[in-house]
Amino acid sequence: MLNRRNFLTAAVGVAAAGGLAACAKEDEGSSGSDSGSGGGGKKISLGFAQVGSESGWRTANTKSVKAAAKEAGYTLKFSDAQQKQENQISAIRSYIAQKVDVIAFSPVVVTGWDAVLKEAKTAKIPVILTDRSIETADDSLYVSFIGSDFIDEGRRAGKMLEKILTKAGHKGAVKIAQLEGTTGAAPALERAKGFKEIMEADHKDDWKIVVSQTGDFTRAGGKQVMAAFLQSNPDINVLYAHNDDMALGAIQSIEAAGKKPGKDILILSVDGVKDGFVAMSEGKINGIVECNPLLGPQLMDLVQQVNDGKTVERRIKTEEGDFLQDQAKAALPTRKY
């Protein structure tokens, strides 16, 4: 059964000056037509500061943004922050100095953005948050946020685990290992929060998170941390991973320990990348909560509206689903990322 959710929350924003850190990668791309012009025949210039390339989800998100910018005819200035906030801040300051029309970025962490966003606001460059939100006392520092409801994804993961345990015929205590995303990142904080809500509301007596640590949203991190989990808590029987890549890394450590992923340790994760569905079709992951990375087309529509001075919507929806193991083979051919 599919749940369809995604959201876009908003406010208003802009900020000023800087130079791009040497360790952040930046490239420019533009596309042909003037369909992306704001009215005077000039192409819209968009500065996009990406988190990094830490996962299959992020790679798909980057491809979506680049392809959609090209299709829209925008001049795209793109930077890869390599999961470092200081690199993103430097990239944003570089975009301000270059006087781009719009800035968009996926924040590495939720805090620490007010100073640079005030600079953008002073420079009268609107800022759009994509995929991840921030915490700020001044919502006017950005015009809009487009992304998924991570708290709800955590809740959906909790409800999914109920189904997984029933299907597996599990009896007794549920000892959960949690592989968290990057410390301080919105999806890590909120996917944990939503999952905990379900635990505390319905499973206080039978579910327990016995160990929880960041795997930094990477496959290598998931493998390393899961190996440590199995050393300290060999009786774990459930793994909740905040993304597919960490789950895929964890599977390697589970198998190296002589256990069967998907049977000895039930696994649920979030994202829905193709490699995750392959593992699910092989019986190694029991369920996946989808988080759609293909935000590019919606972002470009929003950029056009913001550039034209229009009042933007607070919410837009994209399709997301919840998939259990027995749905994997049928759904695998539909994976576009």
Side-chain angles (χ1 to χ4, degrees), residues 149-196:
D149 185 339
F150 298 133
I151 293 176
D152 189 61
E153 287 174 353
R155 294 186 191 113
R156 287 157 57 196
K159 300 306 288 185
M160 176 177 281
L161 181 55
E162 293 174 341
K163 295 177 183 178
I164 289 170
L165 292 166
T166 299
K167 279 179 173 286
H170 181 86
K171 305 293 183 185
V174 179
K175 298 181 179 180
I176 303 167
Q178 180 173 234
L179 274 170
E180 306 166 22
T182 303
T183 301
L189 296 169
E190 295 174 9
R191 286 171 184 165
K193 181 178 180 180
F195 188 81
K196 189 176 180 181

Short mmCIF file of all heavy atoms in Angstrom, two decimals, residues 149-196:
data_model
loop_
_atom_site.label_atom_id
_atom_site.label_comp_id
_atom_site.label_asym_id
_atom_site.label_seq_id
_atom_site.Cartn_x
_atom_site.Cartn_y
_atom_site.Cartn_z
N ASP A 149 8.91 15.18 4.41
CA ASP A 149 8.60 15.28 5.84
C ASP A 149 9.33 14.13 6.54
O ASP A 149 8.85 13.01 6.60
CB ASP A 149 7.09 15.17 6.04
CG ASP A 149 6.67 15.39 7.49
OD1 ASP A 149 7.52 15.22 8.39
OD2 ASP A 149 5.50 15.71 7.72
N PHE A 150 10.52 14.42 7.05
CA PHE A 150 11.35 13.37 7.64
C PHE A 150 10.76 12.79 8.91
O PHE A 150 10.96 11.61 9.21
CB PHE A 150 12.76 13.91 7.91
CG PHE A 150 13.50 14.37 6.69
CD1 PHE A 150 14.15 15.59 6.69
CD2 PHE A 150 13.55 13.59 5.55
CE1 PHE A 150 14.85 16.03 5.58
CE2 PHE A 150 14.25 14.01 4.43
CZ PHE A 150 14.90 15.23 4.44
N ILE A 151 10.06 13.60 9.70
CA ILE A 151 9.41 13.07 10.90
C ILE A 151 8.37 12.04 10.51
O ILE A 151 8.29 10.95 11.10
CB ILE A 151 8.77 14.20 11.73
CG1 ILE A 151 9.85 15.12 12.31
CG2 ILE A 151 7.93 13.62 12.88
CD1 ILE A 151 9.32 16.32 13.06
N ASP A 152 7.61 12.34 9.48
CA ASP A 152 6.61 11.39 9.02
C ASP A 152 7.27 10.12 8.46
O ASP A 152 6.75 9.03 8.65
CB ASP A 152 5.71 12.02 7.96
CG ASP A 152 4.52 11.14 7.63
OD1 ASP A 152 3.72 10.87 8.54
OD2 ASP A 152 4.41 10.70 6.47
N GLU A 153 8.42 10.27 7.81
CA GLU A 153 9.14 9.08 7.33
C GLU A 153 9.52 8.19 8.51
O GLU A 153 9.45 6.96 8.42
CB GLU A 153 10.38 9.49 6.55
CG GLU A 153 10.06 10.07 5.18
CD GLU A 153 11.27 10.61 4.45
OE1 GLU A 153 12.37 10.67 5.05
OE2 GLU A 153 11.12 10.98 3.27
N GLY A 154 9.95 8.80 9.61
CA GLY A 154 10.27 8.02 10.81
C GLY A 154 9.06 7.30 11.36
O GLY A 154 9.13 6.13 11.77
N ARG A 155 7.92 7.99 11.36
CA ARG A 155 6.67 7.36 11.82
C ARG A 155 6.31 6.18 10.91
O ARG A 155 5.91 5.11 11.38
CB ARG A 155 5.53 8.36 11.83
CG ARG A 155 5.66 9.50 12.81
CD ARG A 155 4.39 10.33 12.81
NE ARG A 155 4.52 11.58 13.54
CZ ARG A 155 4.49 12.80 12.99
NH1 ARG A 155 4.31 12.93 11.67
NH2 ARG A 155 4.61 13.88 13.72
N ARG A 156 6.44 6.41 9.62
CA ARG A 156 6.12 5.34 8.66
C ARG A 156 7.03 4.14 8.84
O ARG A 156 6.62 2.98 8.70
CB ARG A 156 6.22 5.90 7.23
CG ARG A 156 5.07 6.84 6.88
CD ARG A 156 5.42 7.79 5.75
NE ARG A 156 5.83 7.11 4.53
CZ ARG A 156 6.46 7.71 3.52
NH1 ARG A 156 6.78 9.00 3.62
NH2 ARG A 156 6.77 7.04 2.44
N ALA A 157 8.31 4.41 9.17
CA ALA A 157 9.24 3.31 9.45
C ALA A 157 8.79 2.52 10.67
O ALA A 157 8.86 1.29 10.70
CB ALA A 157 10.65 3.86 9.65
N GLY A 158 8.31 3.23 11.70
CA GLY A 158 7.80 2.55 12.89
C GLY A 158 6.60 1.66 12.59
O GLY A 158 6.53 0.51 13.04
N LYS A 159 5.66 2.19 11.80
CA LYS A 159 4.48 1.40 11.43
C LYS A 159 4.88 0.23 10.52
O LYS A 159 4.31 -0.85 10.59
CB LYS A 159 3.45 2.29 10.73
CG LYS A 159 2.95 3.46 11.57
CD LYS A 159 2.39 3.05 12.93
CE LYS A 159 1.06 2.34 12.83
NZ LYS A 159 0.49 2.05 14.17
N MET A 160 5.88 0.46 9.68
CA MET A 160 6.37 -0.61 8.80
C MET A 160 6.99 -1.73 9.62
O MET A 160 6.80 -2.92 9.31
CB MET A 160 7.38 -0.05 7.81
CG MET A 160 8.01 -1.13 6.92
SD MET A 160 9.13 -0.41 5.70
CE MET A 160 7.94 0.18 4.50
N LEU A 161 7.73 -1.39 10.68
CA LEU A 161 8.35 -2.43 11.50
C LEU A 161 7.28 -3.32 12.13
O LEU A 161 7.49 -4.54 12.26
CB LEU A 161 9.23 -1.80 12.58
CG LEU A 161 9.95 -2.80 13.49
CD1 LEU A 161 10.78 -3.80 12.69
CD2 LEU A 161 10.84 -2.06 14.50
N GLU A 162 6.15 -2.76 12.49
CA GLU A 162 5.06 -3.58 13.01
C GLU A 162 4.68 -4.67 12.00
O GLU A 162 4.51 -5.85 12.36
CB GLU A 162 3.84 -2.71 13.31
CG GLU A 162 4.04 -1.73 14.45
CD GLU A 162 2.87 -0.78 14.62
OE1 GLU A 162 2.06 -0.62 13.67
OE2 GLU A 162 2.74 -0.18 15.71
N LYS A 163 4.56 -4.29 10.74
CA LYS A 163 4.19 -5.25 9.69
C LYS A 163 5.30 -6.27 9.46
O LYS A 163 5.04 -7.45 9.26
CB LYS A 163 3.89 -4.50 8.39
CG LYS A 163 2.68 -3.59 8.46
CD LYS A 163 2.50 -2.82 7.16
CE LYS A 163 1.33 -1.85 7.24
NZ LYS A 163 1.16 -1.06 6.00
N ILE A 164 6.54 -5.80 9.49
CA ILE A 164 7.68 -6.70 9.28
C ILE A 164 7.75 -7.76 10.38
O ILE A 164 7.96 -8.95 10.10
CB ILE A 164 8.99 -5.88 9.23
CG1 ILE A 164 9.06 -5.06 7.94
CG2 ILE A 164 10.21 -6.80 9.34
CD1 ILE A 164 10.19 -4.04 7.91
N LEU A 165 7.56 -7.34 11.62
CA LEU A 165 7.60 -8.28 12.74
C LEU A 165 6.48 -9.31 12.64
O LEU A 165 6.68 -10.50 12.93
CB LEU A 165 7.51 -7.52 14.06
CG LEU A 165 8.73 -6.65 14.41
CD1 LEU A 165 8.39 -5.69 15.55
CD2 LEU A 165 9.93 -7.52 14.78
N THR A 166 5.29 -8.85 12.23
CA THR A 166 4.15 -9.76 12.07
C THR A 166 4.44 -10.78 10.97
O THR A 166 4.22 -11.99 11.15
CB THR A 166 2.88 -8.97 11.73
OG1 THR A 166 2.58 -8.09 12.81
CG2 THR A 166 1.70 -9.91 11.51
N LYS A 167 4.95 -10.31 9.83
CA LYS A 167 5.26 -11.21 8.71
C LYS A 167 6.33 -12.23 9.09
O LYS A 167 6.29 -13.39 8.66
CB LYS A 167 5.75 -10.41 7.50
CG LYS A 167 4.65 -9.77 6.66
CD LYS A 167 5.24 -8.99 5.50
CE LYS A 167 4.15 -8.48 4.57
NZ LYS A 167 3.57 -9.54 3.74
N ALA A 168 7.30 -11.79 9.91
CA ALA A 168 8.39 -12.69 10.32
C ALA A 168 7.97 -13.63 11.43
O ALA A 168 8.71 -14.55 11.79
CB ALA A 168 9.59 -11.86 10.75
N GLY A 169 6.78 -13.40 12.01
CA GLY A 169 6.32 -14.22 13.13
C GLY A 169 7.17 -14.02 14.38
O GLY A 169 7.32 -14.94 15.20
N HIS A 170 7.71 -12.82 14.53
CA HIS A 170 8.60 -12.55 15.65
C HIS A 170 7.84 -12.53 16.98
O HIS A 170 6.79 -11.90 17.10
CB HIS A 170 9.31 -11.20 15.46
CG HIS A 170 10.25 -10.87 16.57
ND1 HIS A 170 11.55 -11.32 16.59
CD2 HIS A 170 10.08 -10.14 17.71
CE1 HIS A 170 12.14 -10.86 17.69
NE2 HIS A 170 11.27 -10.16 18.39
N LYS A 171 8.40 -13.19 17.97
CA LYS A 171 7.86 -13.19 19.33
C LYS A 171 8.93 -12.70 20.30
O LYS A 171 10.12 -12.95 20.12
CB LYS A 171 7.43 -14.60 19.74
CG LYS A 171 6.44 -15.28 18.78
CD LYS A 171 5.10 -14.58 18.77
CE LYS A 171 4.13 -15.32 17.85
NZ LYS A 171 2.84 -14.60 17.72
N GLY A 172 8.51 -12.00 21.32
CA GLY A 172 9.45 -11.57 22.34
C GLY A 172 9.98 -10.17 22.12
O GLY A 172 9.45 -9.39 21.33
N ALA A 173 11.04 -9.86 22.85
CA ALA A 173 11.59 -8.50 22.85
C ALA A 173 12.16 -8.13 21.49
O ALA A 173 12.71 -8.96 20.76
CB ALA A 173 12.68 -8.39 23.91
N VAL A 174 12.00 -6.86 21.14
CA VAL A 174 12.54 -6.32 19.90
C VAL A 174 13.72 -5.43 20.27
O VAL A 174 13.55 -4.37 20.88
CB VAL A 174 11.47 -5.53 19.12
CG1 VAL A 174 12.06 -4.94 17.84
CG2 VAL A 174 10.27 -6.41 18.80
N LYS A 175 14.92 -5.90 19.93
CA LYS A 175 16.15 -5.18 20.27
C LYS A 175 16.68 -4.51 19.01
O LYS A 175 17.19 -5.18 18.10
CB LYS A 175 17.17 -6.15 20.87
CG LYS A 175 16.68 -6.78 22.17
CD LYS A 175 17.71 -7.71 22.78
CE LYS A 175 17.19 -8.30 24.09
NZ LYS A 175 18.18 -9.22 24.70
N ILE A 176 16.56 -3.19 18.99
CA ILE A 176 16.79 -2.42 17.77
C ILE A 176 18.14 -1.72 17.80
O ILE A 176 18.50 -1.07 18.78
CB ILE A 176 15.69 -1.36 17.58
CG1 ILE A 176 14.31 -2.02 17.56
CG2 ILE A 176 15.92 -0.53 16.31
CD1 ILE A 176 13.16 -1.03 17.69
N ALA A 177 18.89 -1.86 16.69
CA ALA A 177 20.08 -1.04 16.45
C ALA A 177 19.67 0.05 15.46
O ALA A 177 19.02 -0.23 14.46
CB ALA A 177 21.20 -1.89 15.86
N GLN A 178 20.05 1.28 15.76
CA GLN A 178 19.70 2.39 14.88
C GLN A 178 20.97 2.99 14.27
O GLN A 178 21.88 3.41 15.00
CB GLN A 178 18.95 3.48 15.66
CG GLN A 178 18.56 4.68 14.81
CD GLN A 178 17.67 5.66 15.57
OE1 GLN A 178 16.59 6.02 15.11
NE2 GLN A 178 18.12 6.10 16.73
N LEU A 179 21.02 2.99 12.95
CA LEU A 179 22.10 3.66 12.23
C LEU A 179 21.61 5.05 11.86
O LEU A 179 20.75 5.21 11.00
CB LEU A 179 22.49 2.87 10.98
CG LEU A 179 23.50 1.75 11.15
CD1 LEU A 179 23.59 0.90 9.88
CD2 LEU A 179 24.87 2.31 11.51
N GLU A 180 22.15 6.06 12.54
CA GLU A 180 21.71 7.43 12.33
C GLU A 180 22.44 8.06 11.15
O GLU A 180 23.56 7.70 10.82
CB GLU A 180 22.00 8.27 13.58
CG GLU A 180 21.44 7.72 14.87
CD GLU A 180 22.05 8.42 16.08
OE1 GLU A 180 22.57 9.55 15.92
OE2 GLU A 180 22.03 7.82 17.17
N GLY A 181 21.77 9.07 10.55
CA GLY A 181 22.43 9.86 9.52
C GLY A 181 23.41 10.83 10.13
O GLY A 181 23.71 10.79 11.32
N THR A 182 23.94 11.73 9.32
CA THR A 182 24.94 12.70 9.74
C THR A 182 24.47 13.47 10.98
O THR A 182 23.36 13.99 11.01
CB THR A 182 25.23 13.69 8.60
OG1 THR A 182 25.65 12.96 7.45
CG2 THR A 182 26.30 14.68 8.99
N THR A 183 25.32 13.56 11.97
CA THR A 183 24.98 14.25 13.21
C THR A 183 24.58 15.70 12.94
O THR A 183 25.32 16.44 12.27
CB THR A 183 26.18 14.22 14.18
OG1 THR A 183 26.53 12.85 14.44
CG2 THR A 183 25.84 14.91 15.49
N GLY A 184 23.41 16.08 13.44
CA GLY A 184 22.94 17.45 13.26
C GLY A 184 22.16 17.70 11.98
O GLY A 184 21.63 18.79 11.79
N ALA A 185 22.08 16.70 11.10
CA ALA A 185 21.34 16.86 9.84
C ALA A 185 19.85 16.63 10.08
O ALA A 185 19.46 15.77 10.88
CB ALA A 185 21.86 15.88 8.79
N ALA A 186 19.02 17.38 9.36
CA ALA A 186 17.57 17.28 9.56
C ALA A 186 17.03 15.86 9.39
O ALA A 186 16.24 15.41 10.22
CB ALA A 186 16.85 18.25 8.62
N PRO A 187 17.41 15.13 8.33
CA PRO A 187 16.84 13.78 8.20
C PRO A 187 17.23 12.84 9.34
O PRO A 187 16.43 11.98 9.73
CB PRO A 187 17.37 13.28 6.85
CG PRO A 187 18.49 14.18 6.50
CD PRO A 187 18.21 15.49 7.16
N ALA A 188 18.44 13.00 9.86
CA ALA A 188 18.86 12.16 10.98
C ALA A 188 18.04 12.48 12.23
O ALA A 188 17.51 11.57 12.90
CB ALA A 188 20.35 12.36 11.25
N LEU A 189 17.93 13.74 12.56
CA LEU A 189 17.18 14.14 13.74
C LEU A 189 15.71 13.75 13.64
O LEU A 189 15.11 13.23 14.59
CB LEU A 189 17.30 15.66 13.94
CG LEU A 189 18.71 16.21 14.23
CD1 LEU A 189 18.72 17.72 14.13
CD2 LEU A 189 19.19 15.75 15.60
N GLU A 190 15.12 14.01 12.49
CA GLU A 190 13.67 13.87 12.36
C GLU A 190 13.23 12.44 12.09
O GLU A 190 12.16 12.01 12.55
CB GLU A 190 13.17 14.83 11.28
CG GLU A 190 13.37 16.30 11.70
CD GLU A 190 13.03 17.30 10.62
OE1 GLU A 190 12.48 16.90 9.57
OE2 GLU A 190 13.32 18.50 10.82
N ARG A 191 14.03 11.66 11.38
CA ARG A 191 13.67 10.24 11.20
C ARG A 191 13.76 9.50 12.53
O ARG A 191 12.96 8.59 12.79
CB ARG A 191 14.57 9.60 10.14
CG ARG A 191 14.22 10.03 8.73
CD ARG A 191 15.22 9.58 7.68
NE ARG A 191 14.85 10.13 6.37
CZ ARG A 191 15.64 10.17 5.31
NH1 ARG A 191 16.87 9.68 5.38
NH2 ARG A 191 15.20 10.69 4.17
N ALA A 192 14.71 9.89 13.36
CA ALA A 192 14.80 9.30 14.70
C ALA A 192 13.60 9.72 15.54
O ALA A 192 13.01 8.90 16.27
CB ALA A 192 16.10 9.73 15.37
N LYS A 193 13.22 10.98 15.45
CA LYS A 193 12.11 11.51 16.24
C LYS A 193 10.80 10.82 15.89
O LYS A 193 10.04 10.40 16.77
CB LYS A 193 12.00 13.02 16.03
CG LYS A 193 10.88 13.67 16.82
CD LYS A 193 10.84 15.18 16.60
CE LYS A 193 9.71 15.83 17.39
NZ LYS A 193 9.67 17.31 17.17
N GLY A 194 10.51 10.71 14.60
CA GLY A 194 9.26 10.09 14.17
C GLY A 194 9.17 8.63 14.58
O GLY A 194 8.12 8.15 15.03
N PHE A 195 10.27 7.90 14.45
CA PHE A 195 10.32 6.49 14.85
C PHE A 195 10.08 6.35 16.35
O PHE A 195 9.32 5.48 16.80
CB PHE A 195 11.66 5.89 14.45
CG PHE A 195 11.76 4.41 14.64
CD1 PHE A 195 11.24 3.54 13.69
CD2 PHE A 195 12.39 3.88 15.75
CE1 PHE A 195 11.35 2.16 13.86
CE2 PHE A 195 12.50 2.51 15.94
CZ PHE A 195 11.97 1.64 14.98
N LYS A 196 10.72 7.24 17.11
CA LYS A 196 10.58 7.18 18.57
C LYS A 196 9.14 7.46 18.99
O LYS A 196 8.64 6.89 19.97
CB LYS A 196 11.53 8.20 19.21
CG LYS A 196 11.62 8.07 20.72
CD LYS A 196 12.66 9.03 21.30
CE LYS A 196 12.75 8.90 22.81
NZ LYS A 196 13.74 9.85 23.38
#
